Amino acid sequence: MAKKLMTQLNNQTLASLNGKLPIPAYRLGEQKPQIGIVHLGPGAFFRGHQAWYTEQALQFGGDWAISAVSMRSPDVSQALMPQDGLYTLAVLDAVQSYQVIGAVQEVLIASEQYPQVLSRLTAASTKYVTMTITEKGYCLNGSGKLDLSHSQIQQDLTGNSQPTTAIGLLFTALAARYQANIAPFCVISCDNLTDNGHKLRKALIAFAEQKDPVIANWLRQQLISPCTMVDSITPATDDAIKAQVADVLGVTDNWPIKREAFVQWVIEDVLPADRPAWQQAGVIYAQDVTAFEKAKLRLLNAPHSTLAYVGCLLGYETVFDAMQDKPLTEFIQQMLKNEIMPSFNAPAELDVKQYSEDILARFRNPAIRHLLAQIAWDGSQKLPMRILPAISDNLAAGKPIDKLAFAIAAWCRFIVKRFNDSEKLVDPLAEPLLAVAAQCSGKADTDVALFLAVDAVFPAELSLNKTFFSAVHAAYQQLVSEPSTALASFAGVA
């Protein structure tokens, strides 16, 4: 007997889901919200985080629908456009829940639909541009400034074709708005960059200075780009969640999203009054985001990356798997207590001990299958944000760094392992890092020196620090022989 084909999630089938789970009821009426937000980088995190917050805000009204823009990849557009932008968010935790998100009205591909993208960005009705383009998408150098020597930035500065970088695209749109006497949109970075909004603003102005000093001056006076902190664990979609969602909905969803229940968005309180009802949806507006950002990068992202690199060396596949390893969890707890918590001053509103315990509980969530290999992506961009600042602060204060250095050594060994196993390294510096791995012999003296010489990752003041070198050297030397023994030794459970 032939299996009955399921209908697809779209505007036509949406009404049939009413009563089964929360749906965007505003999609069913004649008066639908108009687009007021353009988002660059419509990946899983955006769809489980910012789009979810905007979905909640749309319940309070306003023209804040989203035009999502992929810079190059057609995948999200091909999956969601036949569904009128609709998709399901599955919250997988102690209690599981499902919701259809309707905030995304369209998904465009900048490389293929540039005129439509530019039209959206230059429309007076577009008040906000949000971004999740990963750390590497900003084309910054080791000092956090726009890398004017970056090949794609150079191409956008000197070429006559359509821009290929997010910075080039935003400048082109802002320049067109200036010529049309339209105020700049507010641009909001939602990536794990320290001081993200300020760095983005400076990058746009630096680009403008090269192209048109008049527009650069206009941006200095009018461009708003708040710093933010975002948080929610959102693994990649797999076939299991697609089948699970289809069973719940009774219709096919090409690309549902799964995340944990915990979700947080802190925005520097500088936005114009004309804004979506994000606060009613749970957004925290703060005078200073830096303390929240530092707490998240150090207390969540640093252990997350450490789990990824150490866990991969131990042969684990997911965060949940790695958290079943007692020496590894003991190591992470010690790193948090003895080296990460003492490395910074937490915001007064945050109970650091409870926050750390909650993070470890989130890592133990069996319903979230978060691949360590995915977390390990782009380490050259993540480590300078997540781990190196804590090391530098501890060195300056004479505090311990042994376990943080172990994480760095694990990253080095992870790269060597990728090279030896002939596996792809997902990193913008993949070529030079694999070239370093090719020279490694397993001897800590030479191998560590080779890695620390990668100045795009390690600033000179750190790579030349003898205490740092010795700490990485000691960890690397033990990891070469046997990762599990090295871990037990550093966790004090040998």
Side-chain angles (χ1 to χ4, degrees), residues 118-129 170-186 218:
L118 193 60
S119 177
R120 285 296 186 202
L121 287 168
T122 55
S125 55
T126 295
K127 306 291 180 63
Y128 292 86
V129 172
L170 291 177
F171 168 79
T172 302
L174 287 164
R177 290 173 80 101
Y178 174 80
Q179 296 299 332
N181 198 28
I182 300 171
F185 40 65
C186 178
W218 176 67

Side-chain angles (χ1 to χ4, degrees), residues 5 104 117 167 241 264 319 333 405:
L5 293 175
V104 178
V117 170
I167 298 297
I241 193 63
Q264 189 175 43
V319 171
Q333 288 171 331

Side-chain angles (χ1 to χ4, degrees), residues 153-371:
I153 291 294
Q154 273 292 307
Q155 182 180 332
D156 286 352
L157 283 171
T158 59
N160 295 319
S161 58
Q162 65 190 48
T164 60
T165 66
I167 298 297
L169 175 63
L170 291 177
F171 168 79
T172 302
L174 287 164
R177 290 173 80 101
Y178 174 80
Q179 296 299 332
N181 198 28
I182 300 171
F185 40 65
C186 178
V187 60
I188 305 178
S189 167
C190 300
D191 285 295
N192 284 318
L193 284 166
T194 55
D195 207 30
N196 56 7
H198 299 162
K199 285 179 179 174
L200 172 57
R201 187 177 187 274
K202 289 175 182 177
L204 286 167
I205 291 172
F207 190 96
E209 285 172 343
Q210 302 294 313
K211 295 288 285 186
D212 190 329
V214 173
I215 294 176
N217 187 54
W218 176 67
L219 293 177
R220 283 192 200 92
Q221 296 175 23
Q222 297 198 33
L223 183 64
I224 296 173
S225 182
C227 288
T228 69
M229 188 276 280
V230 297
D231 189 7
S232 193
I233 296 173
T234 312
T237 298
D238 54 20
D239 290 339
I241 193 63
K242 289 182 180 180
Q244 189 173 332
V245 166
D247 187 55
V248 171
L249 270 64
V251 298
T252 299
D253 185 342
N254 289 333
W255 206 331
I257 296 299
K258 59 179 176 178
R259 68 160 166 81
E260 63 175 340
F262 182 90
V263 61
Q264 189 175 43
W265 193 4
V266 182
I267 303 178
E268 185 180 2
D269 195 9
V270 295
L271 297 189
D274 187 13
R275 65 178 80 167
W278 283 327
Q279 189 163 10
Q280 289 91 318
V283 166
I284 299 169
Y285 287 100
Q287 292 299 316
D288 181 14
V289 177
T290 305
F292 286 94
E293 173 192 82
K294 188 176 286 188
K296 190 251 181 172
L297 282 167
R298 298 198 183 187
L299 296 173
L300 185 145
N301 294 127
H304 221 200
S305 287
T306 303
L307 276 173
Y309 298 120
V310 178
C312 283
L313 293 179
L314 294 173
Y316 296 121
E317 188 177 12
T318 70
V319 171
F320 176 78
D321 295 337
M323 288 298 291
Q324 308 314 301
D325 185 308
K326 289 185 179 179
L328 181 50
T329 56
E330 177 66 25
F331 175 87
I332 294 294
Q333 288 171 331
Q334 290 181 21
M335 185 173 73
L336 280 165
K337 180 182 177 181
N338 300 327
E339 297 186 15
I340 293 181
M341 289 184 195
S343 74
F344 74 106
N345 294 319
E349 302 92 331
L350 188 67
D351 182 334
V352 175
K353 187 172 183 296
Q354 187 59 53
Y355 182 64
S356 297
E357 290 174 0
D358 290 344
I359 286 168
L360 295 178
R362 291 163 63 189
F363 290 170
R364 293 189 183 98
N365 181 355
I368 293 293
R369 191 172 182 275
H370 204 174
L371 297 175

Side-chain angles (χ1 to χ4, degrees), residues 414-428:
F414 168 81
I415 294 169
V416 172
K417 186 175 187 301
R418 286 271 153 169
F419 174 78
N420 290 340
D421 295 346
S422 299
E423 292 187 24
K424 181 180 179 182
L425 177 65
V426 181
D427 194 291

